[in-house]
Amino acid sequence: MSFSAFANHVRNPALPHRRRVSALRSCVQLYRPIGFEATLSFLGELAGPFQRDDGALLRALDHLAASRSLWHDHLRRYAAERRTAKRLGHRAPRPGDANPNLGPSIWYGAPQHAALHALTYWRRSRLPRLLAWDDPGAREIDVAVSACLASRGPLSDEQHRRLHDTAQQLRRRISGGLYDEDAVAYFRARDLLRIAALVTSAAIPESAAGVEHQSTTAAGGSR
């Protein structure tokens, strides 16, 4: 089923509330810019206890749909820009250009707010397990997360540099055949790279980021 079909189920007051909550979770499966569990948690912060409150459930859907709509707006603008660039002879995007077709890596409309929430969620639920493995880069990522949460976003130039260097090292590990060598280590490195991307998003004030800000630290999330 499509996002719109699941959204219609969420809005249907004739359905039992638990089925409508399940439909919202299905919407999140299709659009989870900060990860499935973190997106659900963020919706709870934005809308209230949607698991048991009808008004909160509808607000949660509205927040999710509004962010998804902004992402789709970006997709349309990006497609138009690429058509223009191709007519001018630029067949491939420039290295480092954000490509929204890869999936949203931020919460469109509130990138910093959502990233800070997701970092809090990851630090509580997932980061301790990554640190327990003492995976290369994990300690540096943990330092960056702590600094970002302590400042509610901003990082110093040195902290940005160290985060960038660590992300580059993780990216090289992932692209260097790590999955074939050690699939578990591959997924740990990928998770660390996702956390690094959240730190990058959280470090950019929303007044400066705009709804189209895309993190260049890691690959995007899900649609």
Side-chain angles (χ1 to χ4, degrees):
M1 289 176 64
S2 67
F3 184 96
S4 295
F6 284 123
N8 287 337
H9 284 186
V10 177
R11 296 189 179 99
N12 186 352
L15 294 176
H17 189 79
R18 65 180 181 277
R19 284 190 58 188
R20 296 167 67 196
V21 172
S22 178
L24 177 68
R25 292 173 66 90
S26 295
C27 288
V28 173
Q29 285 283 8
L30 297 173
Y31 180 74
R32 51 186 193 274
I34 56 174
F36 180 76
E37 295 294 342
T39 294
L40 286 172
S41 177
F42 188 50
L43 289 174
E45 177 185 320
L46 293 174
F50 60 82
Q51 296 89 345
R52 60 180 184 273
D53 181 80
D54 183 74
L57 179 63
L58 294 175
R59 289 192 298 273
L61 177 61
D62 287 344
H63 282 294
L64 187 69
S67 178
R68 181 174 178 269
S69 179
L70 289 173
W71 172 50
H72 280 197
D73 287 345
H74 191 190
L75 288 172
R76 287 188 286 270
R77 287 193 295 274
Y78 180 81
E81 290 167 1
R82 287 300 307 138
R83 287 193 295 270
T84 299
K86 287 178 180 179
R87 286 197 296 269
L88 296 174
H90 307 297
R91 305 301 302 175
R94 293 172 300 180
D97 279 358
N99 183 352
N101 292 296
L102 298 176
S105 61
I106 60 158
W107 187 284
Y108 278 75
Q112 185 183 49
H113 184 187
L116 287 169
H117 183 97
L119 286 175
T120 301
Y121 178 87
W122 273 82
R123 192 182 196 189
R124 181 178 66 248
S125 65
R126 304 281 292 278
L127 189 53
R129 292 199 296 272
L130 295 172
L131 291 170
W133 284 93
D134 199 24
D135 204 70
R139 297 292 171 184
E140 197 66 52
I141 296 295
D142 184 46
V143 169
V145 170
S146 296
C148 187
L149 290 176
S151 68
R152 299 305 297 165
L155 296 177
S156 68
D157 290 344
E158 175 63 13
Q159 289 167 334
H160 273 294
R161 185 192 64 77
R162 294 179 66 170
L163 177 65
H164 177 267
D165 290 348
T166 301
Q168 289 286 78
Q169 292 168 11
L170 289 166
R171 194 176 296 108
R172 284 195 293 269
R173 290 181 63 207
I174 286 174
S175 62
L178 180 61
Y179 182 83
D180 293 330
E181 298 171 8
D182 187 341
V184 175
Y186 169 87
F187 287 113
R188 287 201 303 267
R190 191 182 67 174
D191 281 348
L192 288 170
L193 200 53
R194 286 176 175 170
I195 298 172
L198 289 169
V199 173
T200 300
S201 292
I204 300 176
E206 281 168 5
S207 59
V211 298
E212 294 179 5
H213 163 63
Q214 290 283 341
S215 170
T216 57
T217 304
S222 175
R223 304 181 184 187

